[in-house]
Amino acid sequence: MYAENPRGFFITFEGLDGSGKSTQLRKLAERLEADNLPITVTRQPGGTRTGDRIRALLLDSRTENLAPKTELGLMFSDRAQAIAEVIEPALAGGRVVLCDRFTDSTEAYQGGGRELGSELVLRLHAAICGELQPDLTILLLPDFERSLARARRRNQRTASESADENRFEREAEPFYRRVWNAYRQIAAREPLRVVAIEGDAGIEEVHRRIVDVVRERLADHDTRSPRSSHA
Ligand code: TMP
């Protein structure tokens, strides 16, 4: 729990490119809105004006020769801005924050994929994000090959555009294997925070499972620290 803010609730979505996490986040947001919960939806990198500029630099495949530590620093620069501008104010206002990717992505992609290691990522998290941790992380782990194939199809569809978001999706399979393994290690290390949904159960079934776990955790949270308003 985010000690300084007992009221808000912070949910992150994680997974490989092509895992379907953005679709699931959108569907959960619609459901919670229908339940009249105050929600804030954001993503990383991006989600602020500064963050969108950092995102463009990070994801555009014309950005060449980015050193792994430059990439790492930019991910945390984006995150620092998002925390200050969006996440902390929303949590302080008692809102449910849904964030598409957070530090687990950095641990999986830069720590695992780029082989910078978890320790460096976690030390930077402590320095920059302090005690802030998601209350709940939904990790989508559908079949590895299918995720990769989906990400590559998306890549081909946008390859002709001058500015694209394909820099990561062009990575070779071993990179994604390392990302995948890092995600599994995070899930094994933090089984309470991270709920891993494995396999290809279909969009509606996965959505149902996510709604169940979110409702359960929110009820638990409300019992411990009643929300002052459901504005
Ligand atoms: P997405 O918005 O489609 O999920 O794409 C964001 C890309 O950025 C994705 O390939 C994962 C990558 N990424 C990192 O490598 N490290 C990070 O910390 C974050 C937030 C994203």
Side-chain angles (χ1 to χ4, degrees), residues 7 9 65 131 145 201 206:
R7 290 180 300 131
F9 198 80
N65 294 327
E131 297 291 308
E145 271 80 21
V206 171

Side-chain angles (χ1 to χ4, degrees), residues 68 71-72 75-76 103-122 168 175 178-179 181-183 185-186:
E71 193 175 276
L72 176 69
M75 292 298 177
F76 273 107
T103 297
D104 293 328
S105 281
T106 318
E107 190 175 346
Y109 282 76
Q110 282 66 53
R114 300 282 187 232
E115 300 181 276
L116 291 174
S118 289
E119 201 201 323
L120 175 60
V121 175
L122 297 179
F168 282 96
F175 174 88
R178 291 195 296 275
V179 174
N181 289 337
Y183 268 135
Q185 277 167 21
I186 295 168

